[in-house]
Amino acid sequence: MPLNEADTRAQLIDPQAQQRRLDRSWAYTAGKIVLRGDRAERLPPKRVDYLLRYTDSLPIAVVEAKEEGKPAVAGLQQAKAYARDLGLAFAFATNGQEIIEWDAFTGSTRLAKRFPNPEELWQRWQINTGQGEPGSGEDERPVYSVDAAQARRRNPLLHPYAPAEATRGKEVRYFQEVAVREVLRRIMTGQKRILLTMATGTGKTFTALQIVWKLLKSGWLGQKKGGHPVRVLFLADRVVLRDQAYNAFSPFATTASDPRLLLDENAKRPSLHREIYFAIYQTLWNEDGRGKRFFEKFPPDCFDLIIIDEAHRSGFGTWREILDYFVGAIQLGMTATPKQDENIDTYAYFCSEETAVAVDPAHAEKGSFHPPAYVYSLGQGIEDGFLATYKVHRIRTDLDKHGLHIHEAVEKGAEVFVPEDAVLKDAYDTPQFERSVSLPDRTAAMTVHLAGLLRRFGPLQKTMVFCVDMEHAQEVARLLNNEFVDLGFGDDYAVAIVSDEGASARRRLAQFQDSDKPLPVVATTAELLSTGVDVPAARNIVFMKTLSSPILFKQIIGRGSRVDPDSGKLWFRIIDYSGATRLLDPKWDKPPDAVKPPIDERPRTASLTGTVPPGGKR
């Protein structure tokens, strides 16, 4: 009688795997979060039956097992799908008697007599990626000598990751591992410009930490420089992002030394005695009394690797001159947004050395493009359960639906104030509200409606409200504090965070980011919190401003996409008063297998009636 799958593994496959580095029943996703009404639950994670590793830091193949009575080929497609997810070139399907191998480099399959030794697969991988020379293939035994172990540690691909005890328990997830491997492979073959496209909340900075850890701790960069000092520069365009990166790289610091250096606005002269530098463009662009910019005080060959955070925002325009100055350095761009009209120059710059890929292999006339080194979307993060899923609530006032017609407002008794230097238009639409025309009653109506939602959802759930400008953010915060005066929190319930400068502003931002601190509950802002600021407990993302940029929209909804174990957050709401959710992109923002949600999970629509009060325009 044929063995079932469990017995096939135990009796037929496990004995063959004894001399292989195999992780059994290895879960590589967290399990997708699904909503049943307002209740969230996790589905089971995706698991491979066996993961074959060459070293602890380099998986090299997957094995899919089927029961003895089924043909091995029955597991082949599943094995290939797992291998593609994990960025692996080899996959095996077996029923314990028969083994079928799939090779991604050749796209072919073959019958195998046994599971190959990891050394054999490693050599094949190196040859096909241009990093190794053909060998005889006769010696299939693993090499366990001291020299071989030391050689592995000198290879960034094989060098261990920063240990969990140094990263506060954070371990590398499968997609981060693929990203690290793809970047290192390119660096080791001489590529100078590289781009990672990973959705907000998927750990781009942590991935960068692991890349730098492997390059520095293995000594590979030092070997390439002939023993000369090695330096890395992490570039951001805002102080809060620079400081977050500095803190994220704390595993490099020991009680004996700290190779990190924070370049702040007080920096007067460059220090060449550290390994990892953190700066914002503005600091490097500062001029001294003689007109020399700060970055020009560093030698042009000072840095070996430059990491450009939020590359779609920072890498061009004025700041391009900084990148050009350090042109000899490897430049790793990181962005949370896919290729759009807005960032086409970013992709052209960082992806120029990538191999061209056909837009549609079946239609050559559609041309080709140069993809990033690795892409991991918001939708895929939700599918894997590493990111929070979301609901959409769309609300439109009558004014937003029909527009403001001045003659109608005057006929209804509204008093209109027009500054001497202003030109009065006949009609205004949502994009002009709080920009070209001030409508206090509309803001008040929206705030009252939002307060009602927050009371229903939970008035202490962290909420971010994106407003038109600083004055609008301050007004919404004031009105929300009035709505929740009964809670007794005063002006601490809602705060306007419109600057990250100054001790008070930084303290309020830090308090809002901290999942353990209940206040402030609501942060209103214009642009400051749209990128890079981590607020894991944020449950409500509110749009009171119009958007035309898909990139900015993705950045903003990314503020809610983090799963937060400390507060139990598994999902978030997008509350849209301005029509911003028209920018939702099914290819990036939604899971690849998204289906039509049940009735109670569909975007909800409500309505408001608003009027223009006396003084409604100024």
Side-chain angles (χ1 to χ4, degrees), residues 53-199:
R53 292 184 178 273
Y54 178 61
T55 66
D56 287 343
S57 62
L58 189 82
I60 203 161
V62 296
V63 179
E64 175 64 20
K66 291 299 177 184
E67 61 188 76
E68 186 184 21
K70 290 185 177 181
V73 72
L76 183 60
Q77 291 305 315
Q78 196 169 3
K80 289 163 66 174
Y82 290 149
R84 290 187 179 108
D85 281 352
L86 300 173
L88 304 180
F90 306 106
F92 298 87
T94 182
N95 59 4
Q97 302 291 346
E98 181 184 48
I99 301 172
I100 300 177
E101 178 198 273
W102 172 70
D103 183 331
F105 294 117
T106 63
S108 63
T109 59
R110 69 181 181 92
L111 288 175
K113 296 179 179 179
R114 54 166 178 77
F115 291 118
N117 189 285
E119 291 281 352
E120 178 187 339
L121 293 179
W122 169 238
Q123 185 184 72
R124 287 167 58 186
W125 188 90
Q126 286 182 293
I127 293 169
N128 281 283
T129 57
Q131 299 187 46
E133 298 295 330
S136 66
E138 296 177 357
D139 187 0
E140 299 169 352
R141 295 170 298 174
V143 180
Y144 295 120
S145 70
V146 173
D147 288 344
Q150 290 177 344
R152 290 189 184 98
R153 293 186 68 86
R154 289 193 296 270
N155 186 323
L157 287 162
L158 308 181
H159 192 89
Y161 290 103
E165 56 268 24
T167 59
R168 300 178 182 177
K170 291 181 67 174
E171 296 183 347
V172 180
R173 293 168 171 168
Y174 88 87
F175 61 90
Q176 296 167 340
E177 194 164 31
V178 180
V180 170
R181 189 163 62 245
E182 291 301 318
V183 169
L184 291 178
R185 182 171 68 82
R186 285 161 171 78
I187 289 175
M188 294 174 71
T189 54
Q191 192 165 316
K192 287 291 189 180
R193 294 177 186 170
I194 305 164
L195 184 67
L196 281 180
T197 302
M198 297 170 63

Side-chain angles (χ1 to χ4, degrees), residues 450-481:
L450 176 60
L453 290 180
L454 297 184
R455 285 191 185 276
R456 178 156 64 90
F457 299 152
L460 298 184
Q461 291 185 357
K462 295 263 185 174
T463 299
M464 304 173 75
V465 184
F466 289 86
C467 303
V468 173
D469 54 26
M470 181 185 301
E471 291 76 17
H472 191 214
Q474 291 168 335
E475 178 66 2
V476 171
R478 183 186 72 81
L479 293 172
L480 280 173
N481 283 325

Side-chain angles (χ1 to χ4, degrees), residues 515-526:
S515 300
D516 294 328
K517 288 186 168 55
L519 297 176
V521 176
V522 180
T524 65
T525 188

